[in-house]
Amino acid sequence: MIDLSGKSAVVTGGSRGIGRAIALRLAEQGADVCISYKGNSAAADEVVAAVTAMGRRGLAVQADVAEMDAAKALIDAALEALGKIDILVNNAGITRDDLIMRMKPEDWTDVIDTNLSGTFWTIKAATRPMMKARSGRIINITSVSGQAGQTGQANYSSAKAGLIGLTRATARELASRGITCNAVAPGFVLTELTQDLDVKLLDGIKEATPLGRFATPEEIGAAVAFLASDEAAYITGQVLAVDGGLVMR
């Protein structure tokens, strides 16, 4: 069983969906958890309550990680409350889907700023304390859209593809200090964002997925918990697909 006892984790975008499942899974395995959220304080408070009910320390920090100063404030708050950061999970992300010819400039920049730059800012802020400790686990949540591209998601696909490059660059830079950096690439996951999609589209996704179903947020959380653990100490710079076989390479 994965044991994260005594570890402290930061999960960005941890109030709902995949982020919530990741935060709860890390807590279940023994970690104290700080989550960031952008606007839904009630959902964030619920996650913290669930974490503390397990006997772990929990903290929610409102932060828009697209802003460098906010990302640094998040890491500083986690360090102050938890004393250290052993695990950083960059999950915060948004979508602004549209075809390229119709995509508004702000829809491009908002997605890049949050999904890609936001991850960079949090990694940058967490690097110094992790290097000082000579250990750490960084896990970035990318997507099959970043591996294969997706119609109507030029912004999102570009950001998620960029995360793969950022993951590998980070892994190379920080390996000498005992810090690993990996990515998890979910396929289609049953969350609030996907449950309202057109039925025909959902059926088409299932047909295209060899395992014939959507992932659950908990399955993504399990993959993250593994990469955060001592069992994954010799794994770095990798992209772990949790997609039911949708993208095979």
Side-chain angles (χ1 to χ4, degrees):
M1 179 178 175
I2 292 171
D3 184 8
L4 300 177
S5 299
K7 303 292 187 182
S8 297
V10 173
V11 181
T12 68
S15 64
R16 294 182 293 175
I18 292 173
R20 177 183 185 276
I22 291 170
L24 295 183
R25 181 57 180 256
L26 296 178
E28 286 172 6
Q29 306 297 155
D32 299 322
V33 181
C34 169
I35 65 168
S36 76
Y37 68 98
K38 189 173 181 180
N40 193 334
S41 59
D45 290 343
E46 187 275 330
V47 174
V48 171
V51 168
T52 56
M54 298 180 207
R56 320 297 180 214
R57 288 181 293 174
L59 175 70
V61 178
Q62 186 173 19
D64 182 357
V65 294
E67 302 293 333
M68 181 181 68
D69 290 345
K72 185 179 186 303
L74 165 66
I75 297 301
D76 288 345
L79 286 169
E80 182 176 353
L82 305 179
K84 59 178 180 169
I85 298 174
D86 303 292
I87 302 160
L88 171 62
V89 184
N90 290 299
N91 168 76
I94 61 172
T95 56
R96 297 285 187 272
D97 295 353
D98 210 341
L99 297 175
I100 291 171
M101 63 182 295
R102 294 201 307 241
M103 187 173 288
K104 299 175 182 177
E106 59 268 28
D107 290 341
W108 169 267
T109 54
D110 286 351
V111 170
I112 297 296
D113 287 350
T114 298
N115 298 17
L116 181 56
S117 297
T119 297
F120 175 78
W121 297 134
T122 54
I123 290 175
K124 182 177 176 65
T127 293
R128 190 176 299 277
M130 282 188 173
M131 289 180 70
K132 187 175 181 181
R134 301 190 71 86
S135 68
R137 299 280 186 270
I138 300 171
I139 301 108
N140 301 323
I141 307 302
T142 180
S143 169
V144 294
S145 295
Q147 296 174 302
Q150 188 74 13
T151 300
Q153 289 193 323
N155 49 5
Y156 186 78
S157 296
S158 297
K160 292 299 188 179
L163 279 181
I164 294 174
L166 176 59
T167 295
R168 290 173 175 155
T170 302
R172 290 187 183 277
E173 281 196 26
L174 302 183
S176 65
R177 295 301 183 97
I179 302 165
T180 67
C181 184
N182 294 287
V184 172
F188 289 90
V189 185
L190 283 175
T191 67
E192 294 175 8
L193 293 177
T194 56
Q195 65 184 6
D196 294 329
L197 292 175
D198 181 78
V199 173
K200 289 184 179 180
L201 176 60
L202 296 177
D203 289 341
I205 293 169
K206 289 180 183 178
E207 289 179 10
T209 303
L211 287 181
R213 66 175 179 84
F214 287 83
T216 66
E218 289 72 25
E219 288 172 318
I220 311 305
V224 171
F226 165 67
L227 290 174
S229 71
D230 291 341
E231 283 85 346
Y234 202 60
I235 301 172
T236 197
Q238 302 303 307
V239 180
L240 176 57
V242 186
D243 63 3
L246 186 61
V247 176
M248 296 191 188
R249 292 186 173 180

